[in-house]
Amino acid sequence: MAPTTLSETMSFTVIIPARLASTRLPNKPLADIAGKPMVVRVAERAALSGAASVAVATDHPDIVAACRSHGIAVHMTRADHPSGTDRIAEVAAAMSLPADAVIVNVQGDEPLIDPALIAAVAARIDAGVPMATAAHPIDTAADAFNPNVVKVVLDKAGRALYFSRATIPWHRDGFAASREQLPPAYQPLRHIGLYGFRNDFLQAYPRMPVSPLEQVEALEQLRVLWHGHPIAVHVTESAPAAGVDTPEDLERVRGIFGQEIGGKSA
């Protein structure tokens, strides 16, 4: 479960937005996982990516206290940010990062995130591509037709053409025959909610008008495409470990960390 630290091939910063309020799991960032708050576990995993620095962006003093007690850099932000992207933009500005700095937004409820995936997304940012994300192949018809599973289609350069809750691309002949299984050689991609930004673009993002597509699909990354900016997509072979949204998710992750710690002490 615990990888070795990746060698740093490029410089990037990880910022972790962590908001205390959560409908399904109250005080989620502070939930204990094998003796440490979840947000601290996320920061520790992110540090293994080779990031030049890792910081938490939060709106609550309890999260600030928890991070500082474990030596994690943390910044207080305004409480009225509409998204984690807006929150990390405030912190990146406060850190006085240069315009071409690469920043990766790692969600605060991903204590099992693969550090290599963070580094891979950061590596897709360049002068012509101000934003990057990730995806993995979908293997089941159930996921392909599930609107809670966000799909993405790419161009030949590996950049996003569109994100949707619908089944894209639509396999006309295959789905005419059956929707119980995926047609042969058909490989839709599931979007992974991990984002990298060039800092100048991250600072511009909160000022971009909300797009009609974003409102219809409830997917904020569509704002970027609608305004004509490219998004590079790193495709990984397998699905990443699931994050923590529910009490059941939390117990699953606690079990994984408990096994890891038990194995080290055995």
Side-chain angles (χ1 to χ4, degrees):
M1 191 271 293
T4 56
T5 303
L6 300 175
S7 59
E8 187 176 343
T9 57
M10 65 171 295
S11 179
F12 62 94
T13 296
V14 171
I15 303 180
I16 303 165
R19 192 169 61 92
L20 192 65
S22 173
T23 303
R24 287 182 287 181
L25 190 58
N27 301 329
K28 181 165 64 171
L30 299 178
D32 180 85
I33 298 178
K36 294 181 181 179
M38 178 159 53
V39 68
V40 171
R41 292 292 186 187
V42 175
E44 291 175 341
R45 292 286 287 181
L48 298 175
S49 67
S53 62
V54 176
V56 171
T58 186
D59 62 350
H60 203 281
D62 288 355
I63 296 177
V64 171
C67 290
R68 287 178 176 166
S69 69
H70 288 86
I72 304 297
V74 61
H75 299 261
M76 276 288 289
T77 69
R78 304 196 325 261
D80 61 347
H81 285 302
S83 72
T85 306
D86 298 85
R87 193 175 306 281
I88 71 165
E90 179 186 341
V91 170
M95 293 173 69
S96 298
L97 295 173
D100 62 352
V102 174
I103 298 158
V104 181
N105 178 348
V106 174
Q107 298 301 314
D109 57 4
E110 299 279 354
L112 299 176
I113 187 143
D114 182 2
L117 187 59
I118 298 172
V121 168
R124 294 301 306 272
I125 304 292
D126 59 35
V129 181
M131 181 173 172
T133 188
H136 70 85
I138 292 174
D139 296 321
T140 69
D143 280 346
F145 287 99
N146 184 350
N148 294 318
V149 174
V150 177
K151 276 70 69 173
V152 59
V153 290
L154 311 181
D155 67 12
K156 66 179 183 179
R159 298 179 182 182
L161 288 170
Y162 192 65
F163 298 85
S164 182
R165 298 183 183 278
T167 308
I168 57 171
W170 182 262
H171 199 298
R172 187 195 65 175
D173 296 338
F175 292 146
S178 172
R179 298 188 189 181
E180 299 301 315
Q181 59 186 10
L182 297 180
Y186 170 70
Q187 192 72 86
L189 294 174
R190 178 178 188 166
H191 176 233
I192 300 169
L194 177 68
Y195 297 101
F197 302 89
R198 199 175 61 227
N199 189 33
D200 55 355
F201 185 76
L202 176 62
Q203 298 306 319
Y205 174 86
R207 299 189 296 273
M208 290 181 190
V210 174
S211 74
L213 294 176
E214 172 187 2
Q215 292 176 311
V216 169
E217 296 255 21
L219 298 173
E220 79 175 70
Q221 64 269 34
L222 288 175
R223 185 186 315 181
V224 176
L225 297 183
W226 193 83
H227 285 285
H229 304 286
I231 302 176
V233 181
H234 170 75
V235 178
T236 183
E237 292 184 3
S238 57
V244 176
D245 288 320
T246 67
E248 293 75 19
D249 293 336
L250 180 59
E251 290 309 311
R252 170 182 53 82
V253 170
R254 282 172 170 166
I256 293 171
F257 273 89
Q259 292 171 8
E260 175 72 11
I261 291 173
K264 287 181 179 179
S265 62

